[in-house]
Amino acid sequence: MGARGAPSRRRQSGRRPRYLPTGSFPFLLLLLLLCIQLGGGQKKKENLLAEKVEQLMEWSSRRSIFRMNGDKFRKFIKTPPRNYSMIVMFTALQPQRQCSVCRQANEEYQILANSWRYSSAFCNKLFFSMVDYDEGTDVFQQLNMNSAPTFMHFPPKGRPKRADTFDLQRIGFAAEQLAKWIADRTDVHIRVFRPPNYSGTIALALLVSLVGGLLYLRRNNLEFIYNKTGWAMVSLCIVFAMTSGQMWNHIRGPPYAHKNPHNGQVSYIHGSSQAQFVAESHIILLLNAAITMGMVLLNEAATSKGDVGKRRIICLVGLGLVVFFFSFLLSIFRSKYHGYPYSFLIK
């Protein structure tokens, strides 16, 4: 009997139910609710991000650069989620601001944005926008920005770093330079396509026509070709253009001058030795020309055999030109190379 009863007890013990501890039910319920909440929050972020990207793509399909006010700036740039980079030009294009540099920079910015919009690599990872001072004053105040134009990159995650602000004063605002900066910050390479500009071709054709016509009219007397003074003037013009920084201006595309938006003061000389304004190169060209003119007069006074009194006047005028304008040139050099100890007449 005892042997037959043992399996019965084993079967009864095998049918006995197992219960979880009573305190585990609230924990499981809390864990389930937490998972549901996290899943819902993630889904909400994904939907919000999809709506933002869809809206930006719609704007980009209309215009390669869309304008933003304070509300749009906070919604699409400052507020997460965001998985795209945004290039923003802070500017002041209204006529009452009288910002000629802003208009020039806007033209280059438009060329760059169009090159990206109509390229085969266009995607929803990079957008171009603009904030005008008169439409987004609160944005300028929020960013403590007191000058325009300014280009900034807002990355998909985190805050902009120092390198995310384009060094316009040193590099200039040419579309090619902006594209290189964007490639460094976003790994998006933009090939700049400029609209055809036939002004250079037309100017060259007119020059060739003018020279050809002059040679034809003077075909019986071409002695002027051997005129040393004429070739010397042409050579000096080329030297003045190259030594004043015209080639640098052509490559970098700097602004003509800089106007302070607060006090309206216009600066024609850049305060750094790493950059210059177009007006600055014109000033340097005129100073070099004046110094050269003074040297020519000094040479004329020393080598000519005319009246002594006339030669003395020519010598004094030439010396005055050299001394004054060289002093002016040296003062500009001192203002750009801070710490340079020497000056002459003008500080």
Side-chain angles (χ1 to χ4, degrees):
M1 292 293 292
R4 287 194 297 270
S8 177
R9 286 194 298 270
R10 285 195 296 270
R11 286 194 297 270
Q12 292 176 359
S13 62
R15 291 193 299 268
R16 183 179 299 171
R18 296 180 180 179
Y19 298 99
L20 293 174
T22 306
S24 62
F25 285 104
F27 174 75
L28 291 176
L29 183 60
L30 180 62
L31 183 60
L32 180 60
L33 292 176
L34 182 61
C35 292
I36 294 174
Q37 184 176 3
L38 290 176
Q42 183 66 25
K43 187 66 175 178
K44 184 178 180 181
K45 287 184 178 180
E46 292 177 358
N47 293 336
L48 179 59
L49 178 60
E51 291 177 2
K52 292 169 69 173
V53 172
E54 183 181 0
Q55 181 66 70
L56 292 174
M57 290 296 290
E58 181 183 350
W59 288 342
S60 296
S61 64
R62 300 175 183 174
R63 291 185 177 181
S64 55
I65 302 174
F66 41 85
R67 305 175 77 97
M68 285 191 170
N69 53 22
D71 294 335
K72 292 180 180 179
F73 180 83
R74 284 183 286 272
K75 178 180 179 181
F76 291 95
I77 297 180
K78 300 296 290 183
T79 305
R82 192 175 75 247
N83 64 350
Y84 50 84
S85 293
M86 183 73 73
I87 306 298
V88 183
M89 181 178 77
F90 299 91
T91 185
L93 294 175
Q94 296 300 321
Q96 65 269 21
R97 301 298 175 185
Q98 299 181 357
C99 183
S100 59
V101 180
C102 297
R103 291 191 291 271
Q104 297 171 14
N106 181 56
E107 293 176 358
E108 293 294 316
Y109 191 53
Q110 191 71 51
I111 292 174
L112 176 64
N114 287 337
S115 299
W116 167 245
R117 172 64 185 83
Y118 298 106
S119 69
S120 58
F122 175 74
C123 62
N124 58 4
K125 298 300 181 183
L126 178 66
F127 297 99
F128 290 85
S129 63
M130 175 192 303
V131 177
D132 192 281
Y133 180 80
D134 293 284
E135 299 173 359
T137 307
D138 53 339
V139 178
F140 277 75
Q141 295 174 352
Q142 181 182 353
L143 298 176
N144 295 323
M145 193 172 295
N146 54 15
S147 63
T150 300
F151 297 93
M152 286 189 66
H153 164 243
F154 292 88
K157 297 181 180 179
R159 295 182 178 181
K161 300 179 181 178
R162 183 175 182 180
D164 287 313
T165 300
F166 182 68
D167 192 353
L168 183 145
Q169 301 294 341
R170 184 176 64 88
I171 304 177
F173 48 72
E176 291 77 8
Q177 298 297 329
L178 287 168
K180 183 179 178 181
W181 168 68
I182 291 174
D184 292 338
R185 305 310 304 165
T186 65
D187 291 330
V188 175
H189 297 271
I190 303 175
R191 183 181 178 184
V192 177
F193 293 94
R194 290 185 175 274
N197 185 1
Y198 301 105
S199 58
T201 305
I202 294 174
L204 180 61
L206 290 176
L207 178 62
V208 172
S209 302
L210 180 63
V211 173
L214 182 62
L215 291 176
Y216 178 78
L217 294 175
R218 299 291 299 272
R219 62 186 181 277
N220 297 325
N221 183 11
L222 299 178
E223 293 181 359
F224 70 94
I225 297 179
Y226 304 98
N227 190 312
K228 296 181 179 180
T229 304
W231 286 112
M233 295 296 293
V234 172
S235 301
L236 282 176
C237 291
I238 296 174
V239 171
F240 291 152
M242 295 299 104
T243 56
S244 63
Q246 296 296 333
M247 186 59 66
W248 192 93
N249 294 341
H250 180 73
I251 296 173
R252 298 295 183 88
Y256 187 82
H258 175 70
K259 183 177 182 180
N260 192 312
H262 296 287
N263 53 25
Q265 183 179 1
V266 180
S267 300
Y268 298 101
I269 305 296
H270 198 285
S272 171
S273 60
Q274 303 296 322
Q276 70 176 18
F277 297 131
V278 175
E280 180 179 337
S281 62
H282 294 167
I283 294 172
I284 298 300
L285 187 150
L286 294 176
L287 293 178
N288 287 334
I291 294 172
T292 302
M293 185 63 186
M295 295 299 297
V296 170
L297 292 178
L298 287 174
N299 179 73
E300 183 70 18
T303 58
S304 65
K305 298 180 180 179
D307 181 64
V308 176
K310 183 178 179 180
R311 292 169 58 190
R312 185 179 293 113
I313 294 175
I314 294 176
C315 179
L316 292 176
V317 172
L319 183 62
L321 288 174
V322 172
V323 170
F324 177 77
F325 288 107
F326 180 78
S327 301
F328 195 5
L329 187 65
L330 188 61
S331 67
I332 295 177
F333 184 84
R334 291 183 74 246
S335 67
K336 296 180 69 67
Y337 289 83
H338 304 284
Y340 185 77
Y342 304 108
S343 62
F344 184 61
L345 293 184
I346 302 174
K347 293 185 178 181

